[in-house]
Amino acid sequence: YLDSAHEVEETLIEVKLAYSVLRPYGILFGDDWAWDGVRHDVVNFARELTPPPRRAVELRESFLQASASVGLNCTTPDLNRPLEASTLTLCEPGGTWVLFKGLD
């Protein structure tokens, strides 16, 4: 879980560092999606990621189903990639963002 600095470029540094220590198929959660700096840096980081392998996609899909079953509204935003290639998920209420890691 990452509670970042909320500033452009600072958030990006923190996201990169936190993501780099995740094991394959790990999940990085963060909050404060409403902050411009957080949204900017997380989206830019997610756009740079290579598409995840099938297992990471299955993990994301399981997460989306589980979150819906408890009333959490989670979606995968359009990052100019097909849905199956996305690694970023957003959940409301609360502005939680989620990144799923594939293999390095």
Side-chain angles (χ1 to χ4, degrees):
Y1 183 84
L2 179 65
D3 187 8
S4 72
H6 305 104
E7 301 299 326
V8 174
E9 300 301 325
E10 287 182 41
T11 298
L12 183 59
I13 291 167
E14 293 174 342
V15 170
K16 284 181 176 181
L17 288 171
Y19 194 84
S20 73
V21 299
L22 284 179
R23 291 183 179 182
Y25 309 117
I27 303 172
L28 178 61
F29 290 86
D31 62 4
D32 296 329
W33 184 253
W35 285 71
D36 291 337
V38 172
R39 195 170 48 254
H40 175 271
D41 286 354
V42 171
V43 166
N44 284 341
F45 178 77
R47 283 186 177 137
E48 295 173 5
L49 295 174
T50 57
R54 182 168 178 75
R55 179 66 185 110
V57 172
E58 291 170 358
L59 180 61
R60 185 199 65 223
E61 292 303 316
S62 295
F63 177 84
L64 290 172
Q65 290 174 2
S67 63
S69 72
V70 296
L72 190 60
N73 180 21
C74 296
T75 59
T76 302
D78 180 10
L79 300 176
N80 298 321
R81 287 187 176 173
L83 176 64
E84 64 274 6
S86 181
T87 58
L88 177 62
T89 299
L90 305 175
C91 298
E92 295 293 338
T96 300
W97 53 268
V98 186
L99 285 168
F100 296 89
K101 186 170 185 175
L103 293 173
D104 292 334

